Amino acid sequence: MYVAALWLGAGAVLAAPPDRPGIDYVVPAAQQPYHAATNVIWYDSFDSGSVTNVYCEYGNDEGDYVPVSYEAFGGTGYCMRARWQVGEVGAGDLKVVFGDSPVYSAKRLRPGEKFQELYWRMYVKYQRGWTGNPAKLSRATSFAESNWSQAMIAHVWGGGDRLVLDPASGINAASQLVTTQYNDFDNLSWLGIRSGTFPIHTTAESGQWICVEARAKLNTPGNADGIFTLWIDGVVDAHGSGLNWIKSWQEKGLNAVFHANYWNSGSPVEQERYIDDFVIATEPIGPARCPVNPTVVKTAFSDPDGGDSQSAFRVQVAADSAGSDVVWDTGTRLSVGDAVVVDAANGTFSGSLAGRTALEPATHYFARVCTRDAASNWSDWSAWRGVLMTQAAGPDANPPGEPTALRVEPAP
Ligand SMILES: [Ca+2]
Ligand SMILES: [Ca+2]
Ligand SMILES: [Ca+2]
């Protein structure tokens, strides 16, 4: 590297390739199936710019965890902005109770219903340059009694670079409730961590809106057949089956989802995490649906060479997660911008979509991006991510109704 710099002389000041970019987001269709579906318990875009009092608890971290408009999934509206100061542990939370919850009765959604199965989804973005594992993200639980004792907890939390599933039970082998308070760790039994694979907490994957969805399904009475699954961008990231969450105990169903910005060991630096498009449903939710000619927005150009600039970027769309069937390619797109519409004017359809002018409706696609600096150095490609979920065909694409399960469920 030192020798190369000598040879390049003055040109060496811009010799480093750009930092690897990412797909920040794909602009979603205006109408989403979860906006008004009967199987949706809760949906929040945060786009009103204020936090509704439907949440039974909202910790605003002294004004740090609030709706902001300088970031938002889809590029417009608001998202929730969490900000950790150096060493800070708790940076705000949002809590929803529903169904047969014995706590916060006045704040329950769908009061009295007993939910055996839940899906909850949020878009999460870690500030560009993010560092560290913020430990907590979300959990679903079954509150058993008004003392906040819990029959089970489906934790989605940080494990190093990844998210992990950590299922816990508050019911003993005799099907008796043994917890007596919230987070009663002395009396919980742990059913086994399932680690994810996507390195969501790494600096390389920061700066992108990532779709995080979990599913918890209680076991049927007396059978070890409960399920706990995590999807990242519509792809199974971790999966646990055969879970005996609550044995034969049947007093309550799943009745709360808590989201927390809680970093047990404290953040090493001041940094922000963003949350948007929060959905709780009884059926699969999936990534936000996009048009069949979607707009893909990459992260802003970044380069180790001070003052360097973008001369081009390239986006590819594939039909599979490994990128073996590339269905659209911009080629070298001379541009200083970050957005491109997936159509025949801006790129070439190829592979299984050769000769087409749009993506297929109701289909899950993957995308990646790279950028070129002023000295024609290309960055590495970003990882393939399942950021494109096209909406259903027809004039009434995505009418309010039941969401369609567009992705493959893991084997039981
Ligand atoms: Ca450079
Ligand atoms: Ca929003
Ligand atoms: Ca703070």
Side-chain angles (χ1 to χ4, degrees), residues 168-185:
S169 174
I171 305 293
N172 68 12
S175 295
Q176 297 162 325
L177 178 73
V178 291
T179 58
T180 60
Q181 60 182 335
Y182 184 60
N183 275 351
D184 189 357
F185 281 18

Side-chain angles (χ1 to χ4, degrees), residues 134-183:
K136 300 299 192 300
L137 181 62
S138 72
R139 68 194 65 191
T141 190
S142 173
F143 282 113
E145 294 179 354
S146 59
N147 62 3
W148 287 62
S149 55
Q150 292 161 286
M152 53 72 69
I153 314 170
H155 296 102
V156 179
W157 51 32
D161 290 346
R162 297 102 187 263
L163 293 173
V164 301
L165 304 178
D166 200 0
S169 174
I171 305 293
N172 68 12
S175 295
Q176 297 162 325
L177 178 73
V178 291
T179 58
T180 60
Q181 60 182 335
Y182 184 60
N183 275 351

Side-chain angles (χ1 to χ4, degrees), residues 45-47 72-73 76 78-79 276:
S45 69
F46 306 104
D47 288 345
F73 171 67
T76 59
Y78 291 78
C79 73
D276 210 347

Side-chain angles (χ1 to χ4, degrees), residues 43-48 68 71-80 209 275-278:
Y43 169 63
D44 198 344
S45 69
F46 306 104
D47 288 345
S48 71
V68 296
E71 287 284 356
F73 171 67
T76 59
Y78 291 78
C79 73
M80 293 298 289
W209 282 105
I275 303 292
D276 210 347
D277 243 40
F278 179 29

Side-chain angles (χ1 to χ4, degrees), residues 26 290 294 296 317 342 359 363-367 385-390:
V26 174
C290 63
V296 174
V317 176
V342 178
L359 302 176
T363 305
H364 193 194
Y365 291 101
F366 297 77
R385 290 178 48 224
V387 290
L388 294 140
M389 186 76 84
T390 54

Side-chain angles (χ1 to χ4, degrees), residues 13-19 301-306 308-309 372-375 377:
V13 295
L14 300 180
D19 296 327
F301 180 80
S302 166
D303 192 293
D305 303 315
D308 206 346
S309 58
R372 197 184 73 178
D373 67 13
N377 301 300

